Amino acid sequence: MAKKSKVARNAQRKQICDKYKPQREALRGRSKDLALSLEERMEARASLALLPKNSSPTRIRNRCSVTGRSRGNIRKFGVCRHMLRLLAHSGHLPGCTKSSW
């Protein structure tokens, strides 16, 4: 089990990211628009830098939905490798079978 503080911090980052997403997309669009002048694009980049650090989607960490583990996550199932094995063996993951040859 991961520390509850790490899981809570990641959840808070997701909320902040969702809150600032439209504003961040608008500023990114303005900063990449070549039809605007260089000063306007630089202003957009400066205001983008003034947004909270945790509003960036790259700061969100993929975590296991069961244990909160941050490493060894399988995106398709949303769980870490340990829980994937446990859930697959107990039959809680439909369509997932143990291979044998």
Side-chain angles (χ1 to χ4, degrees):
M1 290 292 290
K3 290 173 67 172
K4 290 183 181 181
S5 60
K6 295 282 188 181
V7 175
R9 186 181 306 155
N10 200 46
Q12 186 178 17
R13 282 181 180 152
K14 285 181 184 178
Q15 288 177 348
I16 294 172
C17 182
D18 291 340
K19 178 181 175 183
Y20 285 96
K21 187 174 184 175
Q23 187 177 359
R24 183 173 282 277
E25 285 178 352
L27 288 172
R28 276 186 61 86
R30 286 188 61 215
S31 70
K32 290 184 175 187
D33 189 10
L34 295 177
L36 298 175
S37 67
L38 181 64
E39 290 81 19
E40 290 173 331
R41 286 186 283 151
M42 294 306 269
E43 276 182 31
R45 288 189 183 129
S47 56
L48 189 62
L50 291 177
L51 291 177
K53 278 195 300 188
N54 286 334
S55 68
S56 174
T58 57
R59 291 180 66 94
I60 296 173
R61 182 81 174 168
N62 287 334
R63 291 191 170 270
C64 176
S65 59
V66 179
T67 61
R69 182 179 163 87
S70 62
R71 298 195 176 209
N73 284 310
I74 315 301
R75 279 183 195 228
K76 183 176 180 179
F77 300 105
V79 293
C80 65
R81 57 192 174 90
H82 301 296
M83 292 309 299
L84 178 75
R85 184 177 167 87
L86 266 172
L87 294 172
H89 281 273
S90 61
H92 293 292
L93 294 178
C96 188
T97 59
K98 184 176 177 185
S99 63
S100 61
W101 59 93

